[in-house]
Amino acid sequence: KASKELNRFQKNIDLISKLFKFDDTIYEDFSILDYGGGDGYISSIFSDIFSTLLDKKVDYCIYDFKQWKNSKGIYFDLNQNKKFQLIILSHVLEHNHSPVEILNEVLQYANEDTIIYIEVPDQRYLLFKGFLGKKFGMHYHVSFFSKTSLERLLNKCGIRMYLSMYDFSGSYRGDSMETIVAVGRVNKSFTKNKAKKSLIYELISTLCSVFIKLIRNLRKNIF
């Protein structure tokens, strides 16, 4: 489980680094807002990583509807007038009926060059359950995404510079999970035009996701 999580963070940090490939942005201050972050698990790890890389203290704040007893972070009051350099939405948007509203809300706490990090489960395989007439879904997952729809969400909220990926070998706290990850920069001085993915692209990637899910379930049953 530890190796899966290390691999997860490596891939996600690699994706963030690509946004700075031709940029020499230097952060004088760096702080993290973990929106819907629960106990702050992911933001605490990002805080350690960035504090090492930037050679400075990196504070992280958590916003959630309730305070988790195991949290080591500071809980954030959304009424505060504070800006952050990294805003995390990790496994949050799938629990909300209005992802656009949520993302617009957190952007109030973004500065120029703020990094937006979004991670959601890839549950497109549920479509095939529906085609087979089976019940699917979880009562606490109310929004579902593809890579294309996540990019459109960023565009709709004014984030034009972004990268995204399907992670078929992703994890969540060490448990295997197919995920979709997107990172964006709020920077208005940069423009990044990305070609819209075709229906064929999404269909093939969905079939891959379903195949991987089937193989993973078979391995669980066998071993």
Side-chain angles (χ1 to χ4, degrees):
K1 286 190 174 185
S3 65
K4 287 179 183 177
E5 282 296 85
L6 289 170
N7 187 46
R8 169 193 180 188
F9 280 96
Q10 179 187 347
K11 287 181 286 188
N12 295 342
I13 290 291
D14 282 344
L15 196 62
I16 291 174
S17 70
K18 290 178 182 177
L19 287 178
F20 294 87
K21 189 173 182 179
F22 304 106
D23 193 358
D24 58 355
T25 300
I26 298 175
Y27 291 103
E28 295 298 327
D29 297 303
F30 201 93
S31 58
I32 300 170
L33 172 61
D34 194 349
Y35 188 96
D39 60 0
Y41 162 72
I42 190 168
S43 52
S44 65
I45 295 175
F46 270 120
S47 174
D48 288 338
I49 292 171
F50 279 100
S51 64
T52 301
L53 296 176
L54 299 172
D55 193 24
K56 63 181 70 176
K57 184 179 180 181
V58 173
D59 294 320
Y60 67 96
C61 297
I62 307 163
Y63 171 76
D64 210 317
F65 298 105
K66 67 173 184 177
Q67 294 191 10
W68 291 43
K69 63 179 180 180
N70 295 326
S71 173
K72 297 179 181 178
I74 300 169
Y75 279 87
F76 179 66
D77 181 355
L78 288 183
N79 294 320
Q80 294 182 41
N81 184 23
K82 182 175 174 61
K83 304 295 183 181
F84 297 88
Q85 286 67 53
L86 172 63
I87 296 178
I88 298 170
L89 291 156
S90 177
H91 293 276
V92 171
L93 295 181
E94 67 269 21
H95 299 282
N96 292 274
H97 289 282
S98 182
V100 173
E101 183 179 326
I102 294 296
L103 186 52
N104 279 329
E105 180 176 60
V106 301
L107 287 176
Q108 298 177 53
Y109 307 98
N111 265 330
E112 181 81 357
D113 290 322
T114 290
I115 306 162
I116 306 295
Y117 170 93
I118 300 174
E119 190 175 12
V120 294
D122 183 0
Q123 296 183 297
R124 294 171 299 156
Y125 65 90
L126 295 177
L127 292 171
F128 286 82
K129 281 191 173 182
F131 291 149
L132 295 173
K134 296 183 179 180
K135 291 183 179 180
F136 66 90
M138 305 178 185
H139 68 280
Y140 48 86
H141 284 184
V142 295
S143 292
F144 300 88
F145 297 89
S146 67
K147 185 169 174 287
T148 300
S149 68
L150 206 54
E151 291 176 353
R152 287 176 178 171
L153 170 64
L154 291 169
N155 265 316
K156 192 171 182 66
C157 295
I159 300 172
R160 303 282 183 255
M161 187 181 186
Y162 54 82
L163 292 169
S164 60
M165 68 176 181
Y166 285 122
D167 187 359
F168 297 126
S169 60
S171 70
Y172 180 75
R173 299 198 181 217
D175 293 322
S176 296
M177 177 185 290
E178 300 83 10
T179 59
I180 311 171
V181 182
V183 293
R185 296 275 299 282
V186 178
N187 198 319
K188 299 294 192 299
S189 62
F190 287 86
T191 57
K192 188 175 184 67
N193 298 320
K194 291 179 69 66
K196 291 183 178 180
K197 301 297 186 299
S198 68
L199 181 61
I200 295 175
Y201 168 86
E202 288 292 359
L203 180 59
I204 292 173
S205 67
T206 301
L207 290 172
C208 288
S209 176
V210 172
F211 177 75
I212 291 168
K213 190 74 175 180
L214 288 172
I215 295 298
R216 187 169 290 157
N217 288 339
L218 284 172
R219 290 182 64 185
K220 282 183 180 179
N221 293 330
I222 293 172
F223 299 107

